[in-house]
Amino acid sequence: MTLIATTEFQPGVPERLPATHRRQRDIWELSGVYCLILLALWTPRPWQTYLAIATLALVLIVTWRSFDGSREMGFRVAGFWRSVWVVAVALALAAAAVVLAAHLQTLHAPSSAGLFLSRYWSYTIWSFLQEFLLLNFFLLRFMRLVSNRYLAAIAATGLFALAHLPSPILTALTLIWGYAACLIFQRYRNIYIPAIAHAIFGICIAITIPGPIDHNMRVGLGYLTYREHAHHHGNHQRSQIDHTVSTVACVIAEAPTRRS
């Protein structure tokens, strides 16, 4: 009697593939998702919404099919307390930026804690999604494709920053933070700390830099059409429109965040 061994994919269990096949899959997954992200960023509405949904669906399907394991992806408590210093540094830098913005009279933070939470709770969720894409989707695949972990971090950071063009401020800042987040993730293998720090930095930018300077944290086509959109909706000091979150995850939806 001949026994035929079969392997069935089980969600939650890392899939075992030959190195060559896994390498080919990683390349296709990186290319497909990133092309959809760029296409959505530079496509006007309503098609942008459809492309954003398609991007999200593809990311979920690919992640489910190519699950790397909760430990590899940093979904664990281990490493959290050893890396909590990153959050402390982020808070210190944000506090310094707030003090400087207050001195320059560019600070526009919400007037109460309740209003602050209502405006920026969604950005906290986006921060986690952004770090998921950067670290779990792009970085882990580059770490399999490139033997040097620093080169893998540079490649992932490059894609992350390019998605923020043509905003000069956000592109420069994401180059710095993206690379730091990759190294932190490689060192501690915990996704929660980079996500928290990302939320702190993003909210700091939102309340310290005036909308006309960073175009309300828009990227892609939204950055170029900011003036037209702001003029259509009236004076930005009286009523600023919802702005698109400035990260790779911005292709998914607009954050309900308003600046006073």
Side-chain angles (χ1 to χ4, degrees):
M1 177 181 293
T2 302
L3 297 179
I4 301 177
T6 60
T7 302
E8 183 178 355
F9 171 73
Q10 298 179 7
V13 178
E15 189 175 7
R16 306 300 180 185
L17 289 175
T20 303
H21 291 175
R22 187 60 190 260
R23 182 181 180 87
Q24 292 175 348
R25 170 182 282 190
D26 286 338
I27 293 174
W28 280 108
E29 289 173 350
L30 285 170
S31 302
V33 168
Y34 195 69
C35 286
L36 271 180
I37 288 174
L38 294 182
L39 192 61
L41 285 173
W42 291 94
T43 300
R45 294 183 177 182
W47 294 104
Q48 184 184 63
T49 302
Y50 305 141
L51 288 171
I53 294 174
T55 303
L56 177 60
L58 181 59
V59 169
L60 293 176
I61 292 172
V62 167
T63 301
W64 181 73
R65 290 292 303 173
S66 303
F67 192 73
D68 289 293
S70 57
R71 183 184 183 282
E72 188 74 7
M73 298 173 72
F75 293 108
R76 58 182 190 147
V77 178
F80 182 89
W81 294 113
R82 290 190 298 115
S83 59
V84 75
W85 64 268
V86 176
V87 175
V89 171
L91 286 172
L93 292 175
V98 167
V99 171
L100 179 60
H103 177 72
L104 298 176
Q105 298 184 346
T106 62
L107 184 65
H108 43 274
S111 58
S112 67
L115 191 58
F116 184 91
L117 291 175
S118 67
R119 288 181 179 176
Y120 295 112
W121 67 268
S122 59
Y123 186 81
T124 303
I125 298 176
W126 289 132
S127 297
F128 180 85
L129 293 176
Q130 295 153 25
E131 293 303 317
F132 175 84
L133 282 171
L134 172 62
L135 304 175
N136 284 336
F137 197 89
F138 292 108
L139 179 61
L140 287 183
R141 284 164 176 77
F142 276 120
M143 287 175 66
R144 289 193 291 265
L145 294 172
V146 182
S147 58
N148 187 298
R149 70 186 185 98
Y150 297 107
L151 291 179
I154 291 173
T157 302
L159 293 185
F160 186 61
L162 286 175
H164 292 76
L165 290 173
S167 172
I169 295 177
L170 297 182
T171 301
L173 291 178
T174 50
L175 272 174
I176 299 172
W177 167 246
Y179 187 68
C182 288
L183 296 184
I184 292 168
F185 182 77
Q186 290 173 336
R187 174 69 174 82
Y188 299 102
R189 201 50 64 101
N190 186 289
I191 194 174
Y192 303 115
I193 288 296
I196 295 172
H198 188 126
I200 293 171
F201 288 136
I203 294 172
C204 177
I205 293 171
I207 66 176
T208 59
I209 300 180
I213 294 179
D214 66 356
H215 291 201
N216 273 9
M217 298 177 70
R218 290 171 176 265
V219 296
L221 185 62
Y223 182 90
L224 298 179
T225 59
Y226 168 78
R227 301 293 182 186
E228 176 184 349
H229 205 173
H231 176 75
H232 177 73
H233 285 264
N235 190 298
H236 70 273
Q237 292 294 340
R238 291 185 286 104
S239 176
Q240 290 200 18
I241 60 170
D242 291 351
H243 68 271
T244 303
V245 177
S246 61
T247 53
V248 176
C250 69
V251 301
I252 299 176
E254 286 196 343
T257 305
R258 290 184 177 86
R259 299 183 183 183
S260 56

